[in-house]
Amino acid sequence: MSQVLDERDVEILFAIAEGKTLSTEEIHEETEIPKSTVHYRLQSLKEEGIITNDLYELDLGKVGLGITVISEIWAEFGEGYHERIGRKLAEIEGANQVYFTMGETDFVVIARLTSREMVERLVEDYESIEEVHRTSSKFVITTLKSDTGIGTLRDYSRESLLAEHGLDGDEAER
């Protein structure tokens, strides 16, 4: 594994996750890392593809995407089928996350939708894929936790992320 992040990078990422901001000033205030260093590090994190855009998390319910459906998909096995069928599933409107999985289920799709009619169209779109044999979809009644943006970092300790990059936590103090 190539070491891309160091302790200052991790501190900056956590400051972004906790403050939901890419403001150099606010990150500096949170981390006490000099503003010029924060600016340089943000640019580097973007260039390395670690920070992929300047978007923040959305309240999907307020946007009108209040229905979450989790679907299991069983498909016809064959060479390259996971890529071929996975692409088809990913192209379906509302399919936000598509996972090729191990075990009995071939794919898991998480979709955020606007209405029951859109749910019906989603299932019809699954079934229109020739290689799909069977589906099982579930409505989410209550979302207890959902985070896929940079806020995901709030679910982990800094130490876990530092350890993943071979860092011991002492570098930021130097």
Side-chain angles (χ1 to χ4, degrees), residues 121-158:
R121 279 196 311 272
L122 177 82
V123 173
E124 288 172 357
D125 287 346
Y126 292 157
E127 293 172 351
S128 72
I129 298 172
E130 184 178 329
E131 300 92 341
V132 169
H133 293 298
R134 186 167 67 100
T135 68
S136 176
S137 296
K138 294 130 182 80
F139 275 98
V140 172
I141 296 170
T142 303
T143 300
L144 303 171
K145 181 177 181 180
S146 175
D147 200 347
T148 58
I150 191 160
T152 301
L153 292 180
R154 293 188 297 259
D155 296 336
Y156 303 92
S157 70
R158 286 172 172 77

mmCIF file of all heavy atoms in Angstrom, residues 121-158:
data_model
loop_
_atom_site.group_PDB
_atom_site.id
_atom_site.type_symbol
_atom_site.label_atom_id
_atom_site.label_comp_id
_atom_site.label_asym_id
_atom_site.label_seq_id
_atom_site.Cartn_x
_atom_site.Cartn_y
_atom_site.Cartn_z
ATOM 1 N N ARG A 121 -41.357 1.216 -10.760
ATOM 2 C CA ARG A 121 -40.526 1.321 -11.972
ATOM 3 C C ARG A 121 -39.149 0.708 -11.738
ATOM 4 O O ARG A 121 -38.587 0.061 -12.616
ATOM 5 C CB ARG A 121 -40.387 2.778 -12.408
ATOM 6 C CG ARG A 121 -41.558 3.301 -13.188
ATOM 7 C CD ARG A 121 -41.239 4.598 -13.931
ATOM 8 N NE ARG A 121 -40.603 5.632 -13.126
ATOM 9 C CZ ARG A 121 -41.246 6.543 -12.400
ATOM 10 N NH1 ARG A 121 -42.556 6.544 -12.358
ATOM 11 N NH2 ARG A 121 -40.580 7.453 -11.721
ATOM 12 N N LEU A 122 -38.601 0.917 -10.536
ATOM 13 C CA LEU A 122 -37.293 0.358 -10.200
ATOM 14 C C LEU A 122 -37.320 -1.164 -10.332
ATOM 15 O O LEU A 122 -36.457 -1.758 -10.993
ATOM 16 C CB LEU A 122 -36.903 0.756 -8.778
ATOM 17 C CG LEU A 122 -35.579 0.194 -8.256
ATOM 18 C CD1 LEU A 122 -34.413 1.032 -8.762
ATOM 19 C CD2 LEU A 122 -35.583 0.155 -6.736
ATOM 20 N N VAL A 123 -38.321 -1.796 -9.741
ATOM 21 C CA VAL A 123 -38.428 -3.253 -9.801
ATOM 22 C C VAL A 123 -38.646 -3.715 -11.236
ATOM 23 O O VAL A 123 -38.048 -4.703 -11.686
ATOM 24 C CB VAL A 123 -39.545 -3.757 -8.860
ATOM 25 C CG1 VAL A 123 -39.774 -5.249 -9.035
ATOM 26 C CG2 VAL A 123 -39.186 -3.427 -7.403
ATOM 27 N N GLU A 124 -39.456 -2.993 -11.993
ATOM 28 C CA GLU A 124 -39.667 -3.335 -13.402
ATOM 29 C C GLU A 124 -38.364 -3.224 -14.187
ATOM 30 O O GLU A 124 -38.083 -4.059 -15.056
ATOM 31 C CB GLU A 124 -40.735 -2.423 -14.021
ATOM 32 C CG GLU A 124 -42.141 -2.725 -13.538
ATOM 33 C CD GLU A 124 -43.170 -1.692 -14.002
ATOM 34 O OE1 GLU A 124 -42.778 -0.684 -14.671
ATOM 35 O OE2 GLU A 124 -44.348 -1.871 -13.695
ATOM 36 N N ASP A 125 -37.568 -2.206 -13.863
ATOM 37 C CA ASP A 125 -36.275 -2.046 -14.541
ATOM 38 C C ASP A 125 -35.329 -3.198 -14.203
ATOM 39 O O ASP A 125 -34.594 -3.676 -15.069
ATOM 40 C CB ASP A 125 -35.634 -0.705 -14.173
ATOM 41 C CG ASP A 125 -36.332 0.479 -14.829
ATOM 42 O OD1 ASP A 125 -37.131 0.274 -15.775
ATOM 43 O OD2 ASP A 125 -36.078 1.621 -14.377
ATOM 44 N N TYR A 126 -35.345 -3.655 -12.942
ATOM 45 C CA TYR A 126 -34.539 -4.824 -12.583
ATOM 46 C C TYR A 126 -34.964 -6.017 -13.443
ATOM 47 O O TYR A 126 -34.135 -6.725 -14.006
ATOM 48 C CB TYR A 126 -34.735 -5.239 -11.123
ATOM 49 C CG TYR A 126 -34.211 -4.294 -10.074
ATOM 50 C CD1 TYR A 126 -34.756 -4.335 -8.792
ATOM 51 C CD2 TYR A 126 -33.179 -3.403 -10.317
ATOM 52 C CE1 TYR A 126 -34.286 -3.500 -7.787
ATOM 53 C CE2 TYR A 126 -32.711 -2.564 -9.321
ATOM 54 C CZ TYR A 126 -33.271 -2.619 -8.052
ATOM 55 O OH TYR A 126 -32.813 -1.805 -7.063
ATOM 56 N N GLU A 127 -36.265 -6.242 -13.482
ATOM 57 C CA GLU A 127 -36.798 -7.418 -14.174
ATOM 58 C C GLU A 127 -36.628 -7.346 -15.686
ATOM 59 O O GLU A 127 -36.675 -8.373 -16.360
ATOM 60 C CB GLU A 127 -38.267 -7.604 -13.794
ATOM 61 C CG GLU A 127 -38.427 -7.978 -12.328
ATOM 62 C CD GLU A 127 -39.867 -7.976 -11.856
ATOM 63 O OE1 GLU A 127 -40.763 -7.523 -12.608
ATOM 64 O OE2 GLU A 127 -40.104 -8.435 -10.725
ATOM 65 N N SER A 128 -36.423 -6.148 -16.220
ATOM 66 C CA SER A 128 -36.221 -6.019 -17.668
ATOM 67 C C SER A 128 -34.806 -6.430 -18.090
ATOM 68 O O SER A 128 -34.546 -6.602 -19.275
ATOM 69 C CB SER A 128 -36.507 -4.583 -18.122
ATOM 70 O OG SER A 128 -35.480 -3.706 -17.694
ATOM 71 N N ILE A 129 -33.915 -6.603 -17.134
ATOM 72 C CA ILE A 129 -32.560 -7.068 -17.444
ATOM 73 C C ILE A 129 -32.630 -8.577 -17.621
ATOM 74 O O ILE A 129 -32.960 -9.311 -16.685
ATOM 75 C CB ILE A 129 -31.566 -6.672 -16.328
ATOM 76 C CG1 ILE A 129 -31.505 -5.145 -16.208
ATOM 77 C CG2 ILE A 129 -30.184 -7.264 -16.607
ATOM 78 C CD1 ILE A 129 -30.694 -4.654 -15.013
ATOM 79 N N GLU A 130 -32.340 -9.023 -18.819
ATOM 80 C CA GLU A 130 -32.505 -10.429 -19.195
ATOM 81 C C GLU A 130 -31.801 -11.398 -18.242
ATOM 82 O O GLU A 130 -32.330 -12.457 -17.905
ATOM 83 C CB GLU A 130 -31.994 -10.638 -20.628
ATOM 84 C CG GLU A 130 -32.197 -12.021 -21.166
ATOM 85 C CD GLU A 130 -31.703 -12.144 -22.601
ATOM 86 O OE1 GLU A 130 -31.758 -11.143 -23.338
ATOM 87 O OE2 GLU A 130 -31.257 -13.237 -22.957
ATOM 88 N N GLU A 131 -30.608 -11.040 -17.776
ATOM 89 C CA GLU A 131 -29.819 -11.949 -16.944
ATOM 90 C C GLU A 131 -30.273 -12.002 -15.483
ATOM 91 O O GLU A 131 -29.799 -12.815 -14.710
ATOM 92 C CB GLU A 131 -28.334 -11.542 -16.960
ATOM 93 C CG GLU A 131 -27.693 -11.555 -18.326
ATOM 94 C CD GLU A 131 -27.763 -10.190 -19.025
ATOM 95 O OE1 GLU A 131 -28.592 -9.335 -18.652
ATOM 96 O OE2 GLU A 131 -26.976 -9.984 -19.956
ATOM 97 N N VAL A 132 -31.192 -11.119 -15.092
ATOM 98 C CA VAL A 132 -31.678 -11.109 -13.710
ATOM 99 C C VAL A 132 -32.735 -12.190 -13.555
ATOM 100 O O VAL A 132 -33.738 -12.207 -14.264
ATOM 101 C CB VAL A 132 -32.234 -9.721 -13.325
ATOM 102 C CG1 VAL A 132 -32.972 -9.778 -11.993
ATOM 103 C CG2 VAL A 132 -31.102 -8.698 -13.270
ATOM 104 N N HIS A 133 -32.495 -13.108 -12.604
ATOM 105 C CA HIS A 133 -33.424 -14.210 -12.360
ATOM 106 C C HIS A 133 -34.449 -13.887 -11.296
ATOM 107 O O HIS A 133 -35.603 -14.296 -11.389
ATOM 108 C CB HIS A 133 -32.664 -15.472 -11.931
ATOM 109 C CG HIS A 133 -31.818 -16.048 -13.000
ATOM 110 N ND1 HIS A 133 -32.316 -16.526 -14.181
ATOM 111 C CD2 HIS A 133 -30.470 -16.210 -13.081
ATOM 112 C CE1 HIS A 133 -31.331 -16.970 -14.942
ATOM 113 N NE2 HIS A 133 -30.198 -16.780 -14.306
ATOM 114 N N ARG A 134 -34.028 -13.169 -10.255
ATOM 115 C CA ARG A 134 -34.925 -12.942 -9.134
ATOM 116 C C ARG A 134 -34.463 -11.712 -8.372
ATOM 117 O O ARG A 134 -33.275 -11.395 -8.331
ATOM 118 C CB ARG A 134 -34.908 -14.164 -8.217
ATOM 119 C CG ARG A 134 -35.893 -14.149 -7.085
ATOM 120 C CD ARG A 134 -36.028 -15.523 -6.437
ATOM 121 N NE ARG A 134 -34.838 -15.962 -5.759
ATOM 122 C CZ ARG A 134 -34.652 -15.888 -4.438
ATOM 123 N NH1 ARG A 134 -35.570 -15.391 -3.667
ATOM 124 N NH2 ARG A 134 -33.535 -16.341 -3.904
ATOM 125 N N THR A 135 -35.426 -11.022 -7.754
ATOM 126 C CA THR A 135 -35.105 -9.882 -6.901
ATOM 127 C C THR A 135 -35.895 -9.979 -5.607
ATOM 128 O O THR A 135 -36.940 -10.628 -5.552
ATOM 129 C CB THR A 135 -35.451 -8.541 -7.594
ATOM 130 O OG1 THR A 135 -36.863 -8.426 -7.715
ATOM 131 C CG2 THR A 135 -34.783 -8.414 -8.942
ATOM 132 N N SER A 136 -35.395 -9.334 -4.597
ATOM 133 C CA SER A 136 -36.106 -9.191 -3.330
ATOM 134 C C SER A 136 -35.801 -7.794 -2.824
ATOM 135 O O SER A 136 -34.638 -7.469 -2.573
ATOM 136 C CB SER A 136 -35.641 -10.244 -2.327
ATOM 137 O OG SER A 136 -36.278 -10.035 -1.079
ATOM 138 N N SER A 137 -36.852 -6.979 -2.711
ATOM 139 C CA SER A 137 -36.650 -5.591 -2.295
ATOM 140 C C SER A 137 -37.355 -5.321 -0.979
ATOM 141 O O SER A 137 -38.408 -5.885 -0.694
ATOM 142 C CB SER A 137 -37.182 -4.642 -3.372
ATOM 143 O OG SER A 137 -36.447 -4.795 -4.565
ATOM 144 N N LYS A 138 -36.743 -4.440 -0.209
ATOM 145 C CA LYS A 138 -37.280 -4.066 1.088
ATOM 146 C C LYS A 138 -37.355 -2.554 1.199
ATOM 147 O O LYS A 138 -36.418 -1.861 0.818
ATOM 148 C CB LYS A 138 -36.386 -4.604 2.215
ATOM 149 C CG LYS A 138 -36.356 -6.118 2.309
ATOM 150 C CD LYS A 138 -34.919 -6.591 2.358
ATOM 151 C CE LYS A 138 -34.810 -8.090 2.392
ATOM 152 N NZ LYS A 138 -34.952 -8.734 1.119
ATOM 153 N N PHE A 139 -38.483 -2.058 1.747
ATOM 154 C CA PHE A 139 -38.611 -0.644 2.067
ATOM 155 C C PHE A 139 -37.923 -0.391 3.394
ATOM 156 O O PHE A 139 -38.068 -1.161 4.334
ATOM 157 C CB PHE A 139 -40.089 -0.256 2.272
ATOM 158 C CG PHE A 139 -40.828 0.072 1.032
ATOM 159 C CD1 PHE A 139 -41.630 -0.880 0.431
ATOM 160 C CD2 PHE A 139 -40.768 1.340 0.483
ATOM 161 C CE1 PHE A 139 -42.347 -0.583 -0.705
ATOM 162 C CE2 PHE A 139 -41.481 1.649 -0.648
ATOM 163 C CZ PHE A 139 -42.268 0.687 -1.247
ATOM 164 N N VAL A 140 -37.216 0.704 3.483
ATOM 165 C CA VAL A 140 -36.669 1.125 4.761
ATOM 166 C C VAL A 140 -37.769 1.911 5.467
ATOM 167 O O VAL A 140 -38.304 2.866 4.908
ATOM 168 C CB VAL A 140 -35.408 1.996 4.567
ATOM 169 C CG1 VAL A 140 -34.959 2.601 5.887
ATOM 170 C CG2 VAL A 140 -34.303 1.178 3.929
ATOM 171 N N ILE A 141 -38.114 1.494 6.665
ATOM 172 C CA ILE A 141 -39.159 2.183 7.423
ATOM 173 C C ILE A 141 -38.596 3.423 8.100
ATOM 174 O O ILE A 141 -39.148 4.505 8.005
ATOM 175 C CB ILE A 141 -39.791 1.228 8.464
ATOM 176 C CG1 ILE A 141 -40.496 0.090 7.722
ATOM 177 C CG2 ILE A 141 -40.736 1.973 9.386
ATOM 178 C CD1 ILE A 141 -40.960 -1.038 8.606
ATOM 179 N N THR A 142 -37.476 3.259 8.783
ATOM 180 C CA THR A 142 -36.828 4.378 9.466
ATOM 181 C C THR A 142 -35.329 4.277 9.233
ATOM 182 O O THR A 142 -34.745 3.225 9.449
ATOM 183 C CB THR A 142 -37.089 4.325 10.989
ATOM 184 O OG1 THR A 142 -38.491 4.328 11.224
ATOM 185 C CG2 THR A 142 -36.461 5.507 11.701
ATOM 186 N N THR A 143 -34.730 5.368 8.808
ATOM 187 C CA THR A 143 -33.276 5.411 8.647
ATOM 188 C C THR A 143 -32.677 5.807 9.980
ATOM 189 O O THR A 143 -32.935 6.900 10.477
ATOM 190 C CB THR A 143 -32.875 6.412 7.548
ATOM 191 O OG1 THR A 143 -33.474 6.006 6.328
ATOM 192 C CG2 THR A 143 -31.361 6.480 7.394
ATOM 193 N N LEU A 144 -31.906 4.920 10.540
ATOM 194 C CA LEU A 144 -31.266 5.195 11.822
ATOM 195 C C LEU A 144 -29.899 5.830 11.636
ATOM 196 O O LEU A 144 -29.434 6.589 12.469
ATOM 197 C CB LEU A 144 -31.143 3.901 12.627
ATOM 198 C CG LEU A 144 -32.488 3.197 12.874
ATOM 199 C CD1 LEU A 144 -32.273 1.834 13.479
ATOM 200 C CD2 LEU A 144 -33.384 4.058 13.743
ATOM 201 N N LYS A 145 -29.248 5.493 10.510
ATOM 202 C CA LYS A 145 -27.938 6.060 10.216
ATOM 203 C C LYS A 145 -27.667 5.872 8.734
ATOM 204 O O LYS A 145 -27.839 4.783 8.206
ATOM 205 C CB LYS A 145 -26.872 5.350 11.041
ATOM 206 C CG LYS A 145 -25.482 5.880 10.833
ATOM 207 C CD LYS A 145 -24.514 5.155 11.743
ATOM 208 C CE LYS A 145 -23.129 5.694 11.575
ATOM 209 N NZ LYS A 145 -22.182 5.003 12.440
ATOM 210 N N SER A 146 -27.252 6.934 8.085
ATOM 211 C CA SER A 146 -26.913 6.852 6.666
ATOM 212 C C SER A 146 -25.881 7.920 6.372
ATOM 213 O O SER A 146 -26.149 9.101 6.537
ATOM 214 C CB SER A 146 -28.154 7.080 5.809
ATOM 215 O OG SER A 146 -27.797 7.109 4.445
ATOM 216 N N ASP A 147 -24.712 7.511 5.953
ATOM 217 C CA ASP A 147 -23.653 8.466 5.695
ATOM 218 C C ASP A 147 -22.693 7.883 4.686
ATOM 219 O O ASP A 147 -22.078 6.851 4.936
ATOM 220 C CB ASP A 147 -22.916 8.774 6.990
ATOM 221 C CG ASP A 147 -22.155 10.074 6.933
ATOM 222 O OD1 ASP A 147 -21.989 10.635 5.833
ATOM 223 O OD2 ASP A 147 -21.728 10.536 7.996
ATOM 224 N N THR A 148 -22.582 8.519 3.527
ATOM 225 C CA THR A 148 -21.632 8.047 2.533
ATOM 226 C C THR A 148 -20.659 9.129 2.102
ATOM 227 O O THR A 148 -19.752 8.863 1.349
ATOM 228 C CB THR A 148 -22.355 7.513 1.278
ATOM 229 O OG1 THR A 148 -23.164 8.562 0.741
ATOM 230 C CG2 THR A 148 -23.204 6.313 1.607
ATOM 231 N N GLY A 149 -20.855 10.354 2.579
ATOM 232 C CA GLY A 149 -19.945 11.435 2.245
ATOM 233 C C GLY A 149 -18.753 11.439 3.180
ATOM 234 O O GLY A 149 -18.477 10.472 3.893
ATOM 235 N N ILE A 150 -18.076 12.568 3.209
ATOM 236 C CA ILE A 150 -16.900 12.679 4.071
ATOM 237 C C ILE A 150 -17.292 12.495 5.527
ATOM 238 O O ILE A 150 -16.495 12.084 6.356
ATOM 239 C CB ILE A 150 -16.148 14.005 3.853
ATOM 240 C CG1 ILE A 150 -14.797 13.952 4.550
ATOM 241 C CG2 ILE A 150 -16.997 15.190 4.293
ATOM 242 C CD1 ILE A 150 -13.805 14.936 4.044
ATOM 243 N N GLY A 151 -18.558 12.732 5.850
ATOM 244 C CA GLY A 151 -19.043 12.528 7.206
ATOM 245 C C GLY A 151 -18.880 11.099 7.678
ATOM 246 O O GLY A 151 -18.939 10.827 8.882
ATOM 247 N N THR A 152 -18.663 10.174 6.752
ATOM 248 C CA THR A 152 -18.426 8.777 7.116
ATOM 249 C C THR A 152 -17.259 8.672 8.094
ATOM 250 O O THR A 152 -17.238 7.796 8.959
ATOM 251 C CB THR A 152 -18.120 7.942 5.851
ATOM 252 O OG1 THR A 152 -19.226 8.046 4.970
ATOM 253 C CG2 THR A 152 -17.872 6.480 6.193
ATOM 254 N N LEU A 153 -16.303 9.574 7.980
ATOM 255 C CA LEU A 153 -15.143 9.536 8.868
ATOM 256 C C LEU A 153 -15.535 9.681 10.329
ATOM 257 O O LEU A 153 -14.812 9.230 11.219
ATOM 258 C CB LEU A 153 -14.136 10.626 8.497
ATOM 259 C CG LEU A 153 -13.417 10.449 7.164
ATOM 260 C CD1 LEU A 153 -12.455 11.610 6.937
ATOM 261 C CD2 LEU A 153 -12.694 9.127 7.105
ATOM 262 N N ARG A 154 -16.695 10.297 10.608
ATOM 263 C CA ARG A 154 -17.138 10.440 11.994
ATOM 264 C C ARG A 154 -17.386 9.090 12.656
ATOM 265 O O ARG A 154 -17.486 8.996 13.866
ATOM 266 C CB ARG A 154 -18.396 11.301 12.047
ATOM 267 C CG ARG A 154 -18.159 12.755 11.657
ATOM 268 C CD ARG A 154 -19.376 13.614 11.913
ATOM 269 N NE ARG A 154 -20.525 13.220 11.128
ATOM 270 C CZ ARG A 154 -20.949 13.812 10.016
ATOM 271 N NH1 ARG A 154 -20.290 14.842 9.543
ATOM 272 N NH2 ARG A 154 -22.024 13.390 9.393
ATOM 273 N N ASP A 155 -17.495 8.021 11.861
ATOM 274 C CA ASP A 155 -17.743 6.682 12.391
ATOM 275 C C ASP A 155 -16.468 5.961 12.807
ATOM 276 O O ASP A 155 -16.522 4.826 13.258
ATOM 277 C CB ASP A 155 -18.459 5.818 11.341
ATOM 278 C CG ASP A 155 -19.824 6.348 10.992
ATOM 279 O OD1 ASP A 155 -20.420 7.064 11.827
ATOM 280 O OD2 ASP A 155 -20.301 6.046 9.889
ATOM 281 N N TYR A 156 -15.317 6.583 12.638
ATOM 282 C CA TYR A 156 -14.046 5.932 12.891
ATOM 283 C C TYR A 156 -13.186 6.800 13.792
ATOM 284 O O TYR A 156 -13.341 8.022 13.839
ATOM 285 C CB TYR A 156 -13.300 5.671 11.569
ATOM 286 C CG TYR A 156 -14.126 4.858 10.619
ATOM 287 C CD1 TYR A 156 -14.942 5.468 9.680
ATOM 288 C CD2 TYR A 156 -14.140 3.476 10.697
ATOM 289 C CE1 TYR A 156 -15.742 4.715 8.839
ATOM 290 C CE2 TYR A 156 -14.935 2.719 9.859
ATOM 291 C CZ TYR A 156 -15.727 3.352 8.931
ATOM 292 O OH TYR A 156 -16.529 2.601 8.100
ATOM 293 N N SER A 157 -12.248 6.192 14.446
ATOM 294 C CA SER A 157 -11.293 6.968 15.237
ATOM 295 C C SER A 157 -10.155 7.422 14.323
ATOM 296 O O SER A 157 -9.857 6.770 13.314
ATOM 297 C CB SER A 157 -10.740 6.124 16.380
ATOM 298 O OG SER A 157 -9.885 5.120 15.879
ATOM 299 N N ARG A 158 -9.529 8.502 14.687
ATOM 300 C CA ARG A 158 -8.364 8.976 13.949
ATOM 301 C C ARG A 158 -7.278 7.888 13.943
ATOM 302 O O ARG A 158 -6.586 7.698 12.957
ATOM 303 C CB ARG A 158 -7.827 10.262 14.558
ATOM 304 C CG ARG A 158 -8.669 11.477 14.265
ATOM 305 C CD ARG A 158 -8.174 12.679 15.068
ATOM 306 N NE ARG A 158 -8.816 13.916 14.685
ATOM 307 C CZ ARG A 158 -10.049 14.275 15.045
ATOM 308 N NH1 ARG A 158 -10.779 13.463 15.788
ATOM 309 N NH2 ARG A 158 -10.549 15.427 14.657
#
